[in-house]
């Protein structure tokens, strides 16, 4: 029989091929390093940490280093226009806490994380590792990561 | 001659086709409504406006409604941990001002705006209309818009 060589029509358009490519990218390929603070640090110290580390979201952990909360720039800005001294308020008072935290895992699809960011109207998700005693924070995935994915698609650097 | 019908190999991969598709999307297809404040409003009022409008960036205009500055959540957070009363500081003191503002126009390519957001490490660009007397703000393009583009690509909703 004649060998089947050459190119064959797959019935797929460029968009469909892209969709398949995008659908295979996982969170771990684009995630950033997480910045965490202890639940007992003050709002003032959390704001300082946010500036020093230049991130838009801090993850809050307990003494066992397990995830207990999330602090966005919006949360900190809201606290900062209050009347109280920011050095006197611990972050656990103002943080978003479990079970209201949306998180993902490193092997989740990037596009599902993107959908979560849009649906929940948040800037960032913690990437977590499930342990018997709770959730360990191992990464951070943000709208900046998503913007980079888009830029990389056009630069043809996407693997 | 035999009519040329059927499918032909174009030498392009799925990624290349996508790239061409992405390269055609303009800012106006995904831009959001801009939120502006006058340069003489207080930092306190700007923060209130940011919460009311639920945006991460405010554009600052002069009495002629022309762009003179940009205020990010980060700018407002930095001001809010200072010692001064936020109701006494006008935003023009703390804003990023021309010529340090990165902007785009509605017919610019979305992907170029995405590259600007990454390179300049900012969350948002004003979409402007150039006039003889200055820049009129007509839109806002953000990392949220970029995340939506990514989600739409997979949903096959991209035109």
């Amino acid at each position: 029989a004649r060998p089947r060589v050459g190119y064959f029509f797959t019935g797929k358009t460029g968009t469909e091929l892209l969709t398949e490519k995008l659908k295979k990218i996982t969170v771990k390929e684009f995630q950033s390093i997480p910045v965490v603070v202890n639940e007992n640090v003050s709002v003032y110290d959390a704001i300082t940490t946010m500036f020093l580390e230049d991130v838009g979201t801090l993850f809050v952990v307990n003494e066992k280093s397990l995830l207990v909360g999330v602090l966005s720039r919006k949360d900190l800005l809201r606290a900062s226009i209050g009347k109280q001294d920011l050095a006197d308020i611990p972050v656990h008072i103002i943080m978003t806490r479990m079970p209201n935290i949306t998180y993902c895992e490193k092997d989740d699809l990037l596009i599902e994380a993107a959908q979560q960011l849009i649906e929940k109207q948040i800037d960032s998700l913690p990437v977590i590792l499930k342990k018997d005693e709770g959730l360990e924070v191992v990464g951070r995935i943000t709208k900046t990561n998503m913007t980079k994915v888009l830029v990389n698609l056009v630069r043809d650097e996407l693997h």
Side-chain angles (χ1 to χ4, degrees), chain A residues 31-91:
Chain A
Q31 73 184 25
S32 300
I33 293 170
V35 180
V36 303
V37 293
N38 183 278
E39 61 188 331
N40 295 316
V41 305
S42 70
V43 170
Y44 185 88
D45 286 346
I47 294 174
T48 307
T49 302
M50 190 172 268
F51 277 107
L52 284 174
E53 303 283 349
D54 198 23
V55 291
T57 309
L58 298 173
F59 302 121
V60 185
V61 296
N62 62 17
E63 69 289 346
K64 290 176 182 164
S65 294
L66 298 172
L67 179 69
V68 292
V70 171
L71 287 169
S72 66
R73 265 190 203 138
K74 204 168 156 181
D75 295 327
L76 294 173
L77 192 57
R78 190 183 295 108
S80 74
I81 56 170
K83 296 292 173 200
Q84 281 187 275
D85 189 331
L86 299 178
D88 293 338
I89 315 169
V91 292

Side-chain angles (χ1 to χ4, degrees), chain A residues 1 7 15 25 38 49 57 60 69 71 91 107-108 111 128 135:
Chain A
Y7 300 101
T15 304
I25 305 174
N38 183 278
T49 302
T57 309
V60 185
L71 287 169
V91 292
D107 293 321
D108 285 351
I111 201 69
I128 61 92
L135 306 178

